[in-house]
């Protein structure tokens, strides 16, 4: 349950105070005295387990400072605002202390036997205490037989000469020397640690080996005969030469995880004198069984051939945050065990078929945040064990290189289309791309075994009516937030997009500008448990629209007016915050439902508020009384009838408007068909005159394709039997070899009308303009308007007026514009055909009216 909530609604984790007691006090187990201006150790119960004394003014700790606290496990004494003196056996009254935190103190005096008696001490924190080499040489840690973690970071230690008592610290596993000033470490210094195993040996940020030159012959292997799980030598300014010398020096020592982040290897841009790592750089690690190598945060520009060849055991290689721009052939040869390769945050621009050769075990490649635009088709095909490919935030425009995988991240790329989906996948992440057509959603859903599909932040808004969904798809989670599904659904199509998703459990439709939910859109979602409709524009939920087994519904930030509680019967969690409730009596059922329902209502009561009437704006629904509503019943029912009447009228009006704006094309087709059926042969018989053609269509040859599809196919008899007109156009009817002018003249005179399709190309075509003038001159001589001008595309008045002959025509006559809305085309063509067939007498007024109508619609 919490899981779903987390997913769908985001659980607000109430930050609980660390301990249930007030500051500067104690209960049986915890004594909380941080920031209490203490100068001495306070008296606490002998049952105390945690004593927290940081951020005070305690200056002295001696053997008598603490009462005998047998139960005490944790003592925090860090960050005292005065210099601290710690005397002999200062903590001996705390025999079971496990953790002693003295971090960030200015320790002026530390008795060499200060820590004696702490035989159970597991962790000792001495970071940032101004300690010098003496802390290591003085035997301060002798007899701490349980000491496992020792934190000496951020001190003033210059050399690691260790007291011989370190040899007895058999529990010591983790030792932290980060941020000191240890410029070299040689074999002699760490002798007491030989034969030991460490989980962490931290030497980060010490300028180790980079400040002073090292004579490795003398220095030898500092980690001889040691086994380290993690050796952190990052941030030491290591160049390729230092890394190479170090690798050779520690030859044979076991290091499972070598952290070499924040190095200075690599040429970056332009620094030709600084080398990228090569075959020799890591060669000395050939016997160290390195499993994990972190080379992140550096300047590696080119991955050289066989650079990692010796790292046969390497499983994880992190090259993120470098400047990698080229991958040489055979760069990854030898990495026989590598499973995870991280090259994120680099500068790769293209990937080639050969780039990942030599990685037989690779399962995960992280390439996010590069600039990859081009990927050769077979780049990943050979990687038989590859499961996860992360290509987020690159510049990818096609997916034809994707093999079948479990997990694919492609978010934040430049995908506009998805052709060629030939792969299978379990999880596909495609957020933040530029997909517009729902056709891609339909095809993605059909990917075998797909369980999770993330398509947030695309531009899904276009629906091709011919799409059909498949049945019984495997998808379980679908993320479609931040698209524009409203635009797709308001065309009346794609309402069946979720039809096959019988296994879907979680669906996000937030931020889609939805002002309605298509009837039946969730009909087959019998497995759906969580639905987010957050941040849409829904005003109502029609009964039965929600899937039957829905448990969690987020419909916050919509415009719900007065929801019907019966819609929510199956729910266990509901978020209705930030809606625009109308607090009138109609809402009283919902208000009393809210007050007594078992459904967990998410969010604070103050976020469920009225938006109307004005006197109630912002008032929580929980603080509204519904008592008066019952007395008003009669009045209410009258008001209700009026309301219904008003609603019905308004709905009818809206429907009419909707039909006119959205479905006028369809209506026109119906009307037209009926007309034809009734007056079937009327049109044909009505005319016969001397013209060879009904109309000469004059257009630029560059527009031919479009004209053919938009006009000729729908009007000319040769294209279809249903067409009525006998048209003339250059591509078909002009006599070859004849003078072009003569052809044009013949066409104009042998056609009843001349239709000029004025487009951008038309205006640039001399012949077209010539034909226009010629047709216009025939108008003058005939005293009737044979010329019909159709403007195509977004030509401005100004662009038309630039041409003299057109200017003359436009000033005196109306012209037509090709409709922008597809559904108006049928109507437009019909009008045009009527115009062409109309015989012009002297009845100018009539034609004027007709044209008026045509132009206003466009
Ligand atoms: C500690 O002393 C400061 C300054 O004198 C005072 O502001 C603060 O309230 C004191 N804190 C406690 C817990 O007494
Ligand atoms: C704690 O002190 C009380 C007396 O105050 C004593 O009776 C009890 O035995 C002590 N408990 C431990 C665990 O020392
Ligand atoms: C270490 O502790 C043992 C008893 O556990 C004791 O005999 C020995 O004297 C201690 N050594 C030092 C140096 O304190
Ligand atoms: C690396 O070792 C070689 C040979 O011992 C030495 O000449 C060179 O100076 C060393 N380089 C660095 C940076 O320590
Ligand atoms: C490992 O490297 C050393 C030199 O660094 C070389 O002598 C040795 O032959 C190498 N061993 C293998 C197995 O490659
Ligand atoms: C390097 O990558 C590994 C795994 O790919 C990851 O666990 C680690 O956090 C990364 N390190 C850095 C500094 O990003
Ligand atoms: C790769 O490294 C980046 C940056 O350090 C990190 O955010 C990412 O999680 C790593 N990828 C993997 C798979 O560990
Ligand atoms: C639906 O698909 C599942 C596997 O995803 C299969 O087990 C089940 O039989 C299918 N049901 C129908 C009705 O096809
Ligand atoms: C909510 O229910 C309680 C009883 O469970 C009742 O006293 C209270 O008046 C109700 N509040 C509203 C706003 O209905
Ligand atoms: C709420 O839960 C109680 C028991 O937990 C149950 O008796 C009651 O019928 C439930 N009410 C509704 C409206 O589901």
């Amino acid at each position: 349950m919490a899981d779903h909530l987390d997913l769908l609604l985001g659980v607000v984790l109430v930050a609980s105070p660390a301990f249930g007691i007030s500051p500067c006090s104690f209960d049986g187990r915890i004594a909380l005295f941080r920031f209490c201006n203490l100068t001495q150790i306070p008296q606490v119960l002998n049952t105390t387990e945690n004593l927290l004394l940081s951020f005070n003014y305690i200056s002295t700790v001696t053997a008598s400072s603490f009462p005998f606290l047998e139960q005490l496990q944790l003592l925090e004494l860090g960050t005292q605002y005065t210099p601290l003196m710690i005397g002999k056996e200062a903590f001996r009254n705390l025999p079971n202390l496990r953790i002693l935190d003295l971090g960030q103190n200015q320790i002026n005096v530390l008795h060499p036997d200060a820590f004696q008696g702490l035989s159970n001490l597991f962790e000792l924190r001495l970071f940032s205490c101004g300690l010098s080499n003496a802390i290591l040489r003085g035997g301060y840690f002798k007899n701490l037989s349980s000491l496992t973690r020792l934190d000496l970071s951020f001190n003033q230690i210059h050399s690691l000469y260790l007291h011989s008592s370190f040899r007895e610290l058999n529990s010591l596993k983790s030792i932290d020397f980060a941020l000191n000033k240890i410029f070299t470490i040689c074999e002699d210094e760490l002798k007491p640690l030989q034969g030991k195993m460490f989980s962490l040996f931290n030497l980060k940020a010490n300028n180790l080996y980079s400040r002073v030159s090292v004579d490795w012959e003398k220095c030898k292997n500092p980690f001889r005969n040691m086994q380290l799980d993690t050796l952190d030598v990052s941030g030491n300014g290591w160049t390729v030469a230092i890394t190479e010398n170090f690798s050779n020096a520690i030859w044979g020592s076991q290091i499972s995880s070598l952290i070499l982040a924040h190095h200075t290897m690599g040429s970056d841009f332009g620094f030709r004198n600084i080398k990228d790592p090569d075959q020799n750089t890591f060669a000395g690690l050939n016997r160290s069984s390195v499993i994990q190598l972190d080379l992140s945060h550096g300047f590696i520009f080119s991955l050289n051939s066989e650079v990692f060849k010796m790292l046969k055991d390497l499983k994880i290689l992190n090259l993120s945050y470098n400047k990698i721009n080229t991958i040489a052939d055979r760069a990854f040869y030898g990495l026989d065990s590598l499973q995870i390769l991280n090259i994120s945050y680099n500068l790769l621009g293209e990937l080639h078929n050969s780039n990942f050769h030599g990685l037989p075990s690779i399962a995960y490649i992280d390439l996010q945040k590069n600039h990859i635009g081009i990927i050769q088709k077979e780049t990943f095909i050979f990687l038989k064990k590859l499961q996860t490919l992360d290509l987020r935030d690159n510049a990818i425009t096609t997916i034809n290189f994707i093999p079948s995988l479990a997990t694919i991240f492609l978010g934040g790329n430049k995908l506009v289309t998805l052709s060629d989906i030939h792969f299978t996948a379990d999880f596909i992440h495609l957020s933040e791309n530029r997909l517009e057509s729902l056709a891609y959603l339909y095809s993605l859903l059909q990917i075998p075994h797909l369980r999770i599909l993330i398509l947030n932040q695309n531009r899904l808004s276009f629906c091709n009516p011919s799409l059909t969904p498949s049945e019984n798809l495997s998808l379980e989670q679908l993320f479609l937030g931040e698209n524009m599904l409203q635009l797709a659904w308001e065309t009346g199509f794609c309402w069946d997009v979720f039809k096959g998703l019988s296994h879907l459990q979680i669906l996000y439709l937030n931020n889609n500008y939805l002002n309605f939910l298509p009837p039946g859109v969730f009909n087959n979602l019998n497995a759906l448990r969580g639905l987010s409709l957050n941040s849409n524009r829904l005003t109502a939920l029609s009964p039965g629209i929600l899937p039957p087994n829905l448990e969690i519904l987020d419909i916050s930030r919509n415009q719900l007016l007065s929801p019907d509680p019966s819609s929510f019967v199956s729910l266990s969690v509901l978020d209705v915050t930030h809606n625009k409730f109308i607090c009138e009596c109609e809402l009283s059922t919902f208000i009393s439902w809210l007050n007594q329902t078992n459904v967990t209502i998410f969010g604070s009561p103050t976020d469920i508020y009225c938006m109307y009437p004005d006197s109630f704006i912002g008032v929580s629904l929980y603080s509204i009384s519904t008592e008066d509503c019952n007395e008003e019943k009669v009045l209410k029912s009258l008001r209700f009838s009026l309301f219904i009447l008003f609603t019905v009228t308004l709905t009818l009006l809206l429907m009419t408007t909707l039909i006119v704006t959205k479905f006028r094309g369809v209506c026109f087709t119906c009307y037209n068909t009926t007309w034809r059926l009734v007056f079937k042969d009327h049109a044909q018989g009505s005319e016969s005159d001397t013209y060879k053609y009904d109309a000469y269509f004059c257009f630029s040859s560059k527009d031919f394709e479009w004209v053919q599809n938009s006009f000729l196919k729908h009007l000319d008899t040769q294209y279809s039997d249903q067409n009525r007109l006998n048209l003339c156009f250059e591509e078909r009817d002009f006599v070859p070899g004849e003078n072009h002018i003569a052809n044009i003249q013949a066409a104009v005179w042998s056609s009843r009308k001349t239709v000029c399709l004025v487009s951008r190309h038309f205006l640039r075509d001399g012949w077209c303009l010539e034909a226009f003038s010629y047709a216009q001159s025939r108008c003058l001589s005939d005293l009737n308007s044979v010329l019909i001008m159709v403007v195509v595309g977004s030509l401005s008045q100004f662009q038309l007026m630039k041409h003299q002959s057109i200017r003359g025509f436009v000033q005196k006559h109306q012209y037509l514009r090709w409709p922008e809305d597809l559904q108006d085309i049928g109507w437009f063509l019909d009008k045009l055909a009527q115009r062409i067939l109309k015989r012009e007498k002297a009845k100018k007024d009539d034609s004027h009216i007709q044209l008026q109508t045509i132009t206003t619609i466009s």
Side-chain angles (χ1 to χ4, degrees):
M1 190 64 251
D3 211 4
H4 305 157
L5 256 182
D6 200 349
L7 245 174
L8 198 65
L9 306 171
V11 173
V12 180
L13 288 171
V14 182
S16 58
F19 306 100
I21 55 170
S22 46
C24 307
S25 68
F26 56 90
D27 67 6
R29 302 172 62 199
I30 297 166
L32 177 55
F33 286 97
R34 291 179 188 148
F35 300 102
C36 292
N37 298 343
L38 297 181
T39 54
Q40 289 181 3
I41 310 292
Q43 289 301 312
V44 293
L45 293 176
N46 62 5
T47 51
T48 304
E49 290 168 14
N50 297 338
L51 179 52
L52 311 174
L53 299 172
S54 298
F55 311 102
N56 282 296
Y57 293 87
I58 298 166
S59 56
T60 315
V61 184
T62 60
S64 56
S65 296
F66 290 96
F68 186 71
L69 298 173
E70 201 184 2
Q71 311 286 323
L72 197 70
Q73 300 210 357
L74 167 66
L75 173 61
E76 258 189 30
L77 201 56
T79 321
Q80 301 303 316
Y81 300 122
T82 62
L84 184 60
M85 194 281 274
I86 302 177
K88 187 179 181 194
E89 297 181 21
F91 308 100
R92 69 170 179 199
N93 280 344
L94 315 173
N96 289 310
L97 198 63
R98 300 263 304 150
I99 301 176
L100 174 56
D101 184 349
L102 291 166
Q104 222 153 12
N105 279 310
Q106 187 191 329
I107 300 182
N108 276 4
V109 181
L110 182 63
H111 192 278
D113 287 337
F115 305 123
Q116 291 311 296
L118 291 172
S119 59
N120 288 304
L121 194 67
F122 170 83
E123 178 169 351
L124 178 54
R125 300 178 192 153
L126 284 167
F127 57 89
S128 195
C129 288
L131 300 171
S132 67
N133 301 343
I135 189 74
L136 299 173
R137 290 191 190 194
Y140 289 83
F141 309 112
K142 61 182 179 277
N143 265 7
L144 298 180
S145 55
S146 304
L147 188 66
T148 308
R149 294 196 195 141
L150 177 58
D151 185 348
L152 284 165
S153 59
F154 222 132
N155 282 295
Q156 304 291 328
I157 300 170
H158 293 262
S159 122
L160 282 193
Y161 267 108
L162 301 182
H163 189 261
S164 60
S165 61
F166 271 90
R167 189 164 289 136
E168 270 79 58
L169 299 180
N170 291 325
S171 302
L172 195 59
K173 286 283 172 279
S174 164
I175 184 159
D176 192 343
F177 293 116
L179 291 152
N180 279 281
K181 299 200 168 112
I182 307 162
F183 297 156
T184 59
I185 310 174
C186 292
E187 190 168 318
D188 291 345
E189 301 167 32
L190 296 184
K191 263 213 170 109
L193 300 184
Q194 286 187 11
K196 291 189 190 299
M197 286 168 59
F198 288 93
S199 59
L200 173 66
F201 204 108
N202 195 344
L203 289 165
K204 187 158 85 179
N206 273 290
N207 286 317
L208 183 65
Y209 303 129
S210 58
R211 266 289 169 84
V212 293
S213 70
V214 188
D215 181 355
W216 285 102
E217 298 275 304
K218 263 199 194 158
C219 187
K220 303 212 228 72
N221 178 3
F223 304 111
R224 183 173 308 281
N225 204 8
M226 281 185 224
Q227 204 172 324
L228 309 179
D229 281 349
T230 300
L231 172 62
D232 190 341
V233 283
S234 55
N236 280 313
W238 284 15
T239 61
V240 167
I242 295 170
T243 309
E244 182 177 333
N245 284 358
F246 177 77
S247 311
N248 288 332
I250 64 167
W251 185 81
S253 292
Q254 300 296 295
I255 300 170
S256 301
S257 173
L258 179 59
I259 304 183
L260 239 167
H262 296 279
H263 55 84
T264 56
M265 287 184 271
S267 52
D268 199 344
F269 287 111
F271 300 105
R272 305 249 169 233
N273 50 342
I274 303 180
K275 278 176 64 183
D276 285 310
D278 60 22
Q279 285 188 44
N280 301 321
T281 312
F282 305 107
L285 299 173
N286 67 357
R287 288 274 305 279
S288 296
S289 311
V290 179
I291 289 174
Q292 184 165 352
L293 177 60
D294 188 343
L295 288 170
S296 61
H297 298 276
F299 305 91
I300 301 175
F301 185 74
S302 161
L303 278 185
N304 288 325
S305 203
E306 303 188 4
V307 54
F308 306 112
K309 192 177 166 193
M310 295 299 172
L311 303 173
K312 297 276 180 221
D313 300 307
L314 200 66
K315 289 193 174 139
I316 302 174
L317 175 58
N318 195 342
L319 290 163
S320 62
Y321 292 103
N322 276 278
K323 311 282 177 185
I324 298 171
N325 187 36
T326 45
I327 300 177
D329 274 353
R330 302 169 64 87
F332 298 114
Y333 265 63
L335 289 172
D336 295 343
S337 312
L338 197 71
Q339 292 171 359
I340 301 177
L341 174 60
N342 195 340
I343 322 186
S344 57
Y345 300 88
N346 276 282
L347 300 173
L348 291 170
E350 14 191 287
L351 297 178
H352 300 283
N353 285 346
S354 59
N355 280 160
F356 298 105
H357 281 182
L359 291 170
S361 313
I362 195 81
Y364 195 136
I365 302 185
D366 189 343
L367 286 163
Q368 61 178 311
K369 296 268 186 193
N370 278 274
H371 306 288
I372 303 166
I374 298 170
I375 300 183
Q376 272 191 310
K377 243 180 161 174
E378 286 169 5
T379 305
F380 302 107
I381 296 276
F382 304 107
L383 308 174
K384 294 294 175 215
K385 302 219 172 126
L386 190 62
Q387 290 185 8
T388 304
L389 185 55
D390 192 341
L391 284 163
R392 271 176 289 181
D393 300 309
N394 280 287
I396 293 165
T397 55
T398 121
I399 56 164
N400 60 3
F401 57 87
I402 302 267
S404 288
L405 290 179
T407 306
I408 302 172
F409 292 96
L410 283 167
N413 278 286
K414 297 184 175 168
L415 291 167
V416 178
T417 63
L418 298 177
S419 46
D420 290 342
I421 302 182
H422 295 307
F423 51 89
T424 66
D426 203 59
F427 172 103
I428 301 181
H429 182 281
L430 275 166
S431 299
E432 294 178 73
N433 277 286
R434 299 167 185 186
L435 301 173
E436 262 176 40
S437 171
L438 263 73
Y440 306 124
L441 173 56
Y442 278 81
S443 20
L444 284 166
L445 290 177
Q446 290 174 22
I447 293 176
H449 316 306
L450 185 62
R451 287 194 313 113
I452 301 176
L453 175 60
I454 304 180
L455 274 167
N456 290 342
Q457 290 179 279
N458 275 276
R459 299 170 183 174
L460 293 174
S461 56
F462 174 76
C463 177
N464 178 348
S466 64
L467 302 167
T468 47
S470 315
E471 298 289 322
N472 198 20
L473 300 164
S474 54
L475 200 72
E476 290 170 11
Q477 299 185 18
L478 178 57
F479 296 72
L480 289 172
E482 297 175 72
N483 279 284
M484 292 178 277
L485 287 177
Q486 170 68 23
L487 294 181
W489 281 344
E490 74 187 10
T491 64
F493 297 107
C494 288
W495 291 7
D496 59 1
V497 59
F498 305 132
K499 191 170 157 219
L501 300 175
S502 50
H503 302 277
L504 193 68
Q505 295 172 12
I506 306 278
L507 175 60
Y508 279 83
L509 291 173
N510 54 294
N511 303 77
N512 267 290
Y513 305 94
L514 297 176
N515 59 28
F516 77 112
L517 292 172
V521 68
F522 304 132
N523 262 2
N524 294 23
L525 303 184
N526 292 329
L528 197 73
R529 289 181 296 137
L531 173 64
S532 172
L533 291 165
N534 186 316
S535 302
N536 281 293
R537 296 169 180 177
L538 299 170
T539 51
L541 285 174
S542 44
I545 186 86
L546 297 176
N549 300 316
L550 194 65
E551 288 169 20
I552 302 164
L553 174 65
D554 178 359
I555 192 163
S556 61
R557 296 183 194 276
N558 276 274
Q559 301 173 2
L560 289 185
L561 303 176
S562 54
D564 177 2
S566 67
S567 304
F568 306 133
V569 281
S570 65
L571 298 185
S572 53
V573 180
L574 172 66
D575 185 348
V576 282
T577 52
H578 303 289
N579 270 282
K580 304 197 170 169
F581 296 110
I582 295 186
C583 291
E584 295 199 324
C585 283
E586 285 78 26
L587 199 61
S588 60
T589 36
F590 183 68
I591 291 177
S592 44
W593 178 81
L594 269 188
N595 190 22
Q596 47 87 45
T597 180
N598 287 356
V599 175
T600 307
I601 305 294
F602 189 85
S604 136
T606 55
D607 291 338
I608 306 176
Y609 47 76
C610 309
M611 275 307 272
Y612 183 87
D614 289 352
S615 52
F616 281 92
I617 287 181
V619 175
S620 165
L621 296 200
Y622 287 96
S623 55
I624 287 178
S625 161
T626 58
E627 269 172 28
D628 295 345
C629 284
N630 297 334
E631 290 156 25
E632 272 187 325
K633 263 211 167 104
V634 185
L635 183 63
K636 195 179 130 190
S637 64
L638 178 66
R639 252 171 49 184
F640 185 68
S641 324
L642 282 175
F643 174 73
I644 290 288
L645 186 68
F646 175 72
T647 314
V648 168
T649 320
L650 188 68
T651 313
L652 281 177
L653 195 71
L654 285 177
M655 291 254 298
T656 319
T657 319
L658 183 79
I659 287 170
V660 170
T661 52
K662 292 298 166 196
F663 301 107
R664 58 180 184 266
V666 179
C667 293
F668 175 71
T669 315
C670 298
Y671 157 80
N672 215 12
T673 316
T674 322
W675 183 264
R676 275 205 207 142
L677 286 177
V678 178
F679 303 96
K680 206 165 184 171
D681 295 318
H682 175 73
Q684 262 126 14
S686 72
E687 64 210 271
S688 67
D689 49 31
T690 54
Y691 291 106
K692 184 174 172 199
Y693 302 108
D694 291 313
Y696 162 45
F697 264 63
C698 169
F699 50 84
S700 163
S701 54
K702 286 185 183 150
D703 292 330
F704 178 72
E705 200 78 9
W706 180 80
V707 173
Q708 172 163 278
N709 288 328
S710 307
F711 288 95
L712 305 179
K713 281 186 180 168
H714 304 290
L715 297 174
D716 188 74
T717 45
Q718 274 199 8
Y719 281 87
S720 157
D721 288 343
Q722 290 180 353
N723 294 338
R724 295 186 283 171
L725 298 180
N726 186 12
L727 301 181
C728 166
F729 54 92
E730 176 181 339
E731 279 72 6
R732 183 182 67 190
D733 301 304
F734 276 23
V735 181
E738 182 92 54
N739 175 333
H740 206 80
I741 292 275
N743 259 327
I744 291 175
Q745 290 174 349
V748 169
W749 283 105
S750 54
S751 306
R752 186 181 306 117
K753 295 285 161 64
T754 297
V755 179
C756 285
L757 304 176
V758 181
S759 67
R760 240 167 260 283
H761 292 138
F762 186 99
L763 293 179
R764 284 195 212 113
D765 188 327
W767 291 118
C768 289
L769 292 170
E770 184 63 32
F772 190 93
S773 321
Y774 198 79
Q776 208 179 1
S777 66
R778 192 191 132 192
C779 294
L780 293 176
S781 61
D782 269 17
L783 284 177
N784 67 24
S785 42
V786 288
L787 179 58
I788 301 172
M789 171 171 154
V790 179
V791 176
V792 178
S794 56
L795 289 175
S796 66
Q797 193 78 2
F798 169 73
Q799 282 167 307
L800 295 173
M801 293 300 214
K802 276 200 300 198
H803 301 273
Q804 196 196 349
S805 51
I806 296 182
R807 183 164 62 229
F809 182 83
V810 168
Q811 278 165 352
K812 290 199 205 90
H813 300 82
Q814 301 278 1
Y815 59 91
L816 315 186
R817 257 186 199 278
W818 177 251
E820 274 163 27
D821 196 336
L822 284 183
Q823 58 180 337
D824 293 330
I825 288 173
W827 186 83
F828 176 87
L829 288 177
D830 198 73
K831 282 289 168 211
L832 182 64
Q834 283 180 25
R835 278 278 286 143
I836 290 171
L837 290 174
K838 191 171 184 77
R839 256 174 290 183
E840 298 286 340
K841 292 170 198 128
K843 285 169 73 182
K844 289 234 156 152
D845 286 349
D846 185 15
S847 79
H848 186 73
I849 289 168
Q850 194 183 12
L851 283 167
Q852 195 83 44
T853 0
I854 296 175
T855 43
T856 38
I857 198 82
S858 56

